[in-house]
Amino acid sequence: MAAEIAEQPAVWRRLLADGPGAGLDAAAAEIRHRAPRTVLFVARGTSDHAALYAKYLVEIGLGLPAGLVSPSTMTAYGARPDLRDVLMIGVSQSGGSPDLVRSLEVARAQGALTVAVTNDAGSALARVAHVHVDVLAGAERSVAATKSYTAQLLALYLLLERVRQAGGAGRGGELAAALPDLADGVLARDREIAATAQRYRFAQRMITTARGYSYATAREAALKLMETAYVSAQAFSGADLLHGPLALVDPQVPVLAVMAEGVGGAAMEQVLPRLAERRADVCCVGHPAAVAQAAAGFALPAGVPEALSPLLEIIPFQLLALHMAVARGGDPDAPRGLSKITETL
């Protein structure tokens, strides 16, 4: 897991350099040609969080309604919705889960344009889709997905930027080009994150929270903590946290808050005072001013566009989960009861 976390800048450089080889240009051209009116995503686990991130990209950047489908409606229940003028994107690290494959098969038969975003060009999901985007992450051996997750984020960003820019990644691609070097800087501060892991090594429950693009980060951070360090972690949007779950918070329940620069981070500013009222131990990842208000935290590089921040802000949480797992005597490469490919029906 540690090695694959460290590989992420190299993976991003490869994807940024080889857009045509990844299938980004072909997929974007087909999407523009079909001009869908609605975008649906189908995914599971970590890939579901990449899809949630892309939902924000679609609704904000493309101005189209977007949603995450429940595969069971088409698999277990046999629903056959009218999907004409719909783009359905299947996101999966392995491309091997039967329910995702079947969902894309049904969507294609029901009139949707289907795109698979995977780390395996030979996977079943890639074969059933009209077009495939390869995230080019390389073999991932750790059960906990790290490099494949951020590669999915970057691939989805570059794909949708190509659709938005009608032919190229444009300014968005130029902004993304700076990410690998910034990620190198984040990874170089591993010792700071290891020290923070010691602070929380005995925590039994944690809450993660964010808004906007960063909500996907909160969801993914909670999953990483659960599957590697065996912490009962729950993720809430900052807005939802104030609608009831705030009652869960006390000094023994650390809160991991993401507050990147931009609209989402600004929307989280009303959350911190409420957490302070509960005497919460808040660990913040985000812009320096937000981190300064927290009990612990990790400041991100300044000036990163909000839509790209999730690629950087998840890295401290990946490292936190890794170090917490080791500190608690676990093996993050072999979490109990889990395997690399989960086949759900």
Side-chain angles (χ1 to χ4, degrees):
M1 184 178 177
E4 288 167 357
I5 291 172
E7 285 179 38
Q8 289 175 111
V11 170
W12 303 354
R13 290 185 179 98
R14 182 160 61 241
L15 188 54
L16 287 163
D18 195 14
L24 290 166
D25 295 337
E30 188 63 24
I31 293 169
R32 291 195 307 273
H33 174 70
R34 292 281 291 268
R37 295 298 307 149
T38 303
V39 182
L40 297 176
F41 294 91
V42 60
R44 292 287 193 194
T46 284
S47 298
D48 203 39
H49 306 150
L52 175 61
Y53 163 75
K55 179 180 183 293
Y56 281 85
L57 293 175
V58 169
E59 293 185 341
I60 297 169
L62 300 185
L64 296 176
L68 278 65
V69 305
S70 300
S72 62
T73 61
M74 290 179 280
T75 57
Y77 289 94
R80 296 296 180 266
D82 183 349
L83 297 176
R84 289 172 292 181
D85 298 323
V86 170
L87 165 64
M88 184 177 284
I89 301 178
V91 188
S92 171
Q93 185 271 328
S94 69
S97 187
D99 57 350
L100 302 185
V101 174
R102 183 60 181 153
S103 295
L104 238 60
E105 287 178 335
V106 171
R108 184 167 180 167
Q110 294 302 112
L113 168 63
T114 55
V115 176
V117 178
T118 81
N119 195 33
D120 184 355
S123 66
L125 195 69
R127 291 195 301 270
V128 301
H130 286 100
V131 287
H132 174 249
V133 172
D134 191 336
V135 303
L136 302 178
E140 189 173 55
R141 294 180 295 167
S142 174
V143 170
T146 54
K147 66 176 182 175
S148 64
Y149 172 67
T150 56
Q152 287 174 341
L153 298 185
L154 182 56
L156 287 161
Y157 174 84
L158 293 173
L159 171 63
L160 295 170
E161 274 296 296
R162 280 164 166 75
V163 175
R164 189 175 72 87
Q165 296 286 341
R171 176 67 174 155
E174 295 174 10
L175 295 170
L179 287 173
D181 289 345
L182 295 176
D184 283 331
V186 174
L187 289 164
R189 297 169 65 186
D190 179 51
R191 288 188 178 181
E192 296 177 40
I193 300 165
T196 302
Q198 291 297 320
R199 179 186 183 96
Y200 299 122
R201 65 176 295 190
F202 296 113
Q204 296 303 308
R205 294 185 295 145
M206 301 182 88
I207 287 173
T208 65
T209 185
R211 292 196 67 177
Y213 295 102
S214 297
Y215 180 40
T217 304
R219 295 278 299 270
E220 175 63 7
L223 177 59
K224 286 293 158 282
L225 288 163
M226 287 188 284
E227 67 183 349
T228 60
Y230 312 144
V231 176
S232 178
Q234 292 178 278
F236 299 99
S237 80
D240 286 334
L241 181 63
L242 301 183
H243 282 268
L246 185 66
L248 291 170
V249 177
D250 63 35
Q252 283 71 50
V253 181
V255 178
L256 308 180
V258 190
M259 294 183 63
E261 292 183 67
V263 175
M268 283 290 294
E269 290 178 2
Q270 66 174 317
V271 178
L272 291 186
R274 300 297 305 278
L275 293 173
E277 292 172 5
R278 305 290 303 169
R279 295 186 295 122
D281 183 335
V282 178
C283 176
C284 181
V285 169
H287 60 83
V291 173
Q293 300 178 57
F298 188 92
L300 295 174
V304 178
E306 185 179 6
L308 288 169
S309 182
L311 279 94
L312 295 177
E313 65 200 22
I314 190 57
I315 295 175
F317 293 116
Q318 293 171 340
L319 291 168
L320 181 68
L322 167 70
H323 290 303
M324 283 183 63
V326 173
R328 292 156 74 101
D331 181 357
D333 288 336
R336 60 196 183 205
L338 299 180
S339 60
K340 185 58 183 171
I341 299 176
T342 302
E343 296 187 356
T344 47
L345 301 173

